[in-house]
Amino acid sequence: MIRVNNLTKRFDDVSVLRDISLSVEPGEFIALLGPSGSGKTTLLRIIAGLEFQDEGEVLVDGRDVSGLSVRDRQVGFVFQHYALFRHMTVAQNVGFGLSVRKRNRPPKREIEARAQELLRLVQLDGLGKRYPSQLSGGQRQRVALARALAIEPKLLLLDEPFGALDAKVRKDLRRWLRDLHRQMGLTSIFVTHDQEEALELADRVVVMDHGVIEQIGTPEEIYMEPATPFVSHFVGETNHLPDGLHVRPHDLRIVEEGGEAVLVDNVFRKGGVWRVEGVLSGTGEIVEIDLDAGSPAPQPGATIRVQPLRSKSFGG
Amino acid sequence: MSIHRSTTERRATRILLILVALAFLAFFLLLPLIAVFGEALKQGIGGFANAVTDPDAQSAIRLTLMVAAISVPLNMVFGVAASWAISKYDFKGKSLLVTLIDLPFSVSPVVSGLIFVLLFGAQGYLGPWLADHGIRVIFAVPGILLATIFITFPFVARELIPLMQEQGRADEEAALSLGASGWQTFWRVTLPNIRWGLLYGVLLCNARAMGEFGAVSVVSGHIRGETNTMPLHVEILYNEYNFVGAFAVASLLALLALVTLVAKSVLEWRFDLHSGAKH
């Protein structure tokens, strides 16, 4: 179990983490979600031992590891741009962690066999003799993962694992990583700025902004019960109605009487729904509404009245 | 049609530019090079051989090789250490260190030489103390070594700092997270990543170490057979109207420059290939 207690980190005079506390259960898959500058990567690096906190502590199974360097923490770290050793073959990359061991270093043949085994696990059979430059982005990512798994880490940390990949590969890898996490019984924490990724993969999501945790919860809780205006804004799409009401586009419906008047600007098909973009008559705030694609779409220029089915109030 | 015309115009400009560059090269590089070898062989191979095997020339060649053999490895270690510190760590005074590394490039070599005379010369700050202990620095080999090391310090570091900064710290961090020690990380990850850049820097450093004139001239004292390096020996022979001798030794230096140039091109080719394949 990982516990982070009251962590604080400053770079020069800028606070990047302020009083962060978090606990991760064995086997959990945790997402650190936030915009750039939210401190999520710094938090991940402190847990890894690549960066050190100014205050607070990091506990692994009850033991304070704050003084241990990354080398002694036995965590698997997957870097955003993979950081594969370009002068080594794929198999040598994967075997690196075993080959630098001072104590109980396995014999060469055993390291090679282990590398093969891990490459099979990440579905890269037969690519062991290639160099990283001969692989696609998605393949490199999987080599990086196999390399990190080779040291049998208790904890797997991934920094923007899909950041540098194109949309299709990203989606495939996402599902695959989720399966791998379950299959191996790992405890994993990954950093992302992509809310969709966080909601799809994680057991729990930690939403961060400006060095503080805004909310910790299951994807369901984060989406349906955002704790702060920031979370409501950052996770999913949100409209601002008067009196501090935050409403999702799909939680608005058209009514004959009452509700808020909206001047329709633009209507287009967005997948299975009509996306209506308009301006709130009262406040001039932009509003987005999703309507069932089976129903007739309002025309641009028309004024419609909308009412929230469900909303979240954050005060005036 | 218009596209076609615009490309032909560009091609004409390109050819003109290439011709200008070639003419410039021929006049300022090729012609002098031919002149050096031409003069060196004016009295045939025999004259050349005599000039090169002359005891003073031999001593100058030995001294130059020795100076290079000591200063280049030292600067290789200094250069790697300095670039490592600058590119992998954050510390106060980093920009000052970068400026200091460039100092030998920005100071006139003669002034560099004079600094060492001022420090270690008979009238210098440390001169009397050194003299009391029977150590000669100025007008002796140690002075030549010091001046050469100072002058050639930036070559390796200048080559490595941008390279290592561009490569970032992620590879090293990855190695450490996989359990490698600092030493293992350096030998197995960092050094292979910078090997071509390092070799290139070492070549340039070596070329300069063998060819340096100004600073070495100030501290050497021009004692024949003792403190004359090859460039100094060339000047002495030339001043004595021994043109064949001067050009013969000069042609050895020029040959060294050519070898360096070829080695550098080969390296650049490999280097490009290597870094190009990275993406």
Side-chain angles (χ1 to χ4, degrees):
Chain A
M1 195 188 82
I2 316 295
R3 270 202 71 85
V4 168
N5 288 332
N6 311 100
L7 219 59
T8 299
K9 175 73 179 173
R10 280 177 294 272
F11 285 130
D12 297 325
D13 287 332
V14 187
S15 280
V16 284
L17 291 178
R18 279 178 275 185
D19 199 25
I20 298 280
S21 294
L22 172 70
S23 80
V24 180
E25 298 302 320
E28 259 194 317
F29 204 176
I30 298 282
L32 302 180
L33 173 68
S36 56
S38 59
K40 56 191 192 301
T41 297
T42 305
L43 176 56
L44 191 80
R45 290 171 61 86
I46 288 176
I47 295 173
L50 288 167
E51 212 88 64
F52 292 93
Q53 67 269 33
D54 296 319
E55 284 156 44
E57 54 185 9
V58 179
L59 303 174
V60 177
D61 295 330
R63 196 165 69 105
D64 188 0
V65 297
S66 303
L68 294 183
S69 75
V70 61
R71 197 186 158 205
D72 302 316
R73 287 200 196 181
Q74 226 197 344
V75 291
F77 200 100
V78 176
F79 291 81
Q80 190 178 358
H81 299 288
Y82 325 129
L84 295 178
F85 308 131
R86 68 203 94 170
H87 60 282
M88 294 182 202
T89 63
V90 166
Q92 285 168 338
N93 264 282
V94 175
F96 184 85
L98 296 176
S99 72
V100 293
R101 269 198 200 160
K102 291 262 163 70
R103 267 166 291 160
N104 0 306
R105 175 172 38 210
K108 215 171 170 197
R109 202 172 306 150
E110 212 169 290
I111 294 177
E112 279 164 19
R114 181 85 184 109
Q116 292 308 324
E117 204 178 300
L118 282 159
L119 285 174
R120 205 168 311 129
L121 179 73
V122 299
Q123 298 163 6
L124 291 174
D125 286 11
L127 295 186
K129 289 209 165 59
R130 299 233 188 134
Y131 283 88
S133 59
Q134 298 166 309
L135 301 182
S136 71
Q139 289 172 328
R140 288 180 206 182
Q141 179 62 281
R142 283 184 280 163
V143 174
L145 201 63
R147 184 177 69 176
L149 293 175
I151 59 167
E152 289 167 15
K154 294 181 204 144
L155 178 64
L156 183 65
L157 304 173
L158 307 106
D159 185 9
E160 297 269 2
F162 313 107
L165 301 170
D166 55 56
K168 173 80 176 95
V169 180
R170 187 187 275 231
K171 206 154 188 193
D172 292 344
L173 260 185
R174 220 141 80 179
R175 195 163 307 142
W176 172 82
L177 180 65
R178 161 115 241 184
D179 293 345
L180 188 79
H181 167 86
R182 282 196 189 133
Q183 183 190 332
M184 299 196 63
L186 289 164
T187 306
S188 313
I189 305 177
F190 75 102
V191 156
T192 182
H193 62 265
D194 182 343
Q195 42 112 357
E196 204 183 303
E197 204 164 280
L199 297 182
E200 184 185 321
L201 279 180
D203 297 322
R204 285 194 300 149
V205 179
V206 179
V207 186
M208 295 179 68
D209 186 39
H210 288 109
V212 296
I213 292 179
E214 294 272 334
Q215 187 174 3
I216 304 178
T218 62
E220 175 73 7
E221 286 164 356
I222 297 283
Y223 190 81
M224 297 308 288
E225 292 294 326
T228 66
F230 173 82
V231 177
S232 149
H233 231 319
F234 191 72
V235 182
E237 293 168 303
T238 290
N239 294 306
H240 292 220
L241 297 191
D243 306 322
L245 284 186
H246 284 206
V247 187
R248 305 287 189 202
H250 52 75
D251 286 340
L252 281 169
R253 59 166 183 179
I254 295 185
V255 291
E256 297 293 324
E257 295 286 317
E260 303 286 339
V262 171
L263 178 62
V264 177
D265 253 351
N266 189 20
V267 180
F268 59 94
R269 179 177 276 281
K270 192 188 177 204
V273 296
W274 292 115
R275 167 56 61 95
V276 179
E277 291 173 348
V279 178
L280 209 60
S281 303
T283 60
E285 191 96 41
I286 290 171
V287 178
E288 293 168 325
I289 309 151
D290 286 343
L291 298 174
D292 181 44
S295 63
Q299 294 305 305
T303 299
I304 54 173
R305 305 196 71 83
V306 296
Q307 204 169 44
L309 284 168
R310 214 180 285 113
S311 67
K312 185 83 191 158
S313 172
F314 292 104
Chain B
M1 273 310 278
S2 66
I3 293 169
H4 185 73
R5 255 177 57 196
S6 72
T7 49
T8 47
E9 269 173 21
R10 222 178 284 153
R11 188 181 301 156
T13 321
R14 202 169 62 210
I15 290 170
L16 187 71
L17 279 172
I18 291 171
L19 282 179
V20 168
L22 281 179
F24 188 86
L25 270 176
F27 187 74
F28 282 99
L29 281 173
L30 205 58
L31 217 59
L33 210 58
I34 292 170
V36 167
F37 285 102
E39 287 291 324
L41 294 168
K42 216 170 192 173
Q43 293 172 9
I45 291 288
F48 177 83
N50 277 341
V52 173
T53 50
D54 171 76
D56 287 348
Q58 287 281 307
S59 139
I61 292 168
R62 268 199 306 277
L63 182 61
T64 292
L65 289 178
M66 188 192 82
V67 166
I70 294 173
S71 59
V72 171
L74 280 176
N75 275 332
M76 190 166 110
V77 174
F78 293 157
V80 170
S83 344
W84 175 283
I86 285 165
S87 56
K88 310 282 176 190
Y89 297 104
D90 293 314
F91 53 90
K92 285 205 173 78
K94 191 158 138 176
S95 55
L96 184 71
L97 183 61
V98 175
T99 314
L100 280 177
I101 286 173
D102 278 343
L103 194 68
F105 274 174
S106 48
V107 173
S108 159
V110 177
V111 176
S112 311
L114 284 172
I115 292 169
F116 287 105
V117 174
L118 197 67
L119 279 177
F120 302 112
Q123 268 74 48
Y125 297 121
L126 302 171
W129 185 87
L130 288 169
D132 287 348
H133 292 78
I135 304 168
R136 280 196 69 163
V137 175
I138 300 305
F139 303 152
V141 175
I144 296 174
L145 264 176
L146 282 175
T148 307
I149 290 169
F150 178 79
I151 291 290
T152 56
F153 176 67
F155 285 96
V156 173
R158 267 291 121 209
E159 202 56 46
L160 290 185
I161 289 169
L163 180 67
M164 288 171 90
Q165 271 174 343
E166 189 221 306
Q167 289 179 346
R169 308 173 193 184
D171 280 17
E172 279 78 13
E173 286 178 344
L176 292 172
S177 80
L178 292 167
S181 65
W183 198 239
Q184 284 172 322
T185 303
F186 176 74
W187 284 106
R188 300 189 53 175
V189 174
T190 307
L191 201 60
N193 273 346
I194 61 169
R195 58 189 162 184
W196 297 117
L198 179 62
L199 213 55
Y200 185 23
V202 163
L203 271 180
L204 290 178
C205 180
N206 182 56
R208 184 62 183 268
M210 291 189 173
E212 172 58 22
F213 181 85
V216 170
S217 173
V218 174
V219 296
S220 129
H222 304 263
I223 306 165
R224 272 185 196 233
E226 272 184 50
T227 63
N228 260 347
T229 60
M230 283 168 78
L232 301 183
H233 192 62
V234 170
E235 196 214 14
I236 289 179
L237 291 175
Y238 188 81
N239 285 344
E240 289 171 349
Y241 304 103
N242 181 355
F243 295 133
V244 170
F247 279 107
V249 178
S251 70
L252 290 181
L253 276 173
L255 212 60
L256 169 86
L258 284 178
V259 169
T260 307
L261 209 67
V262 171
K264 169 182 161 297
S265 318
V266 170
L267 278 185
E268 262 173 358
W269 174 71
R270 288 258 359 213
F271 199 34
D272 275 356
L273 209 70
H274 203 67
S275 55
K278 193 174 69 181
H279 298 290

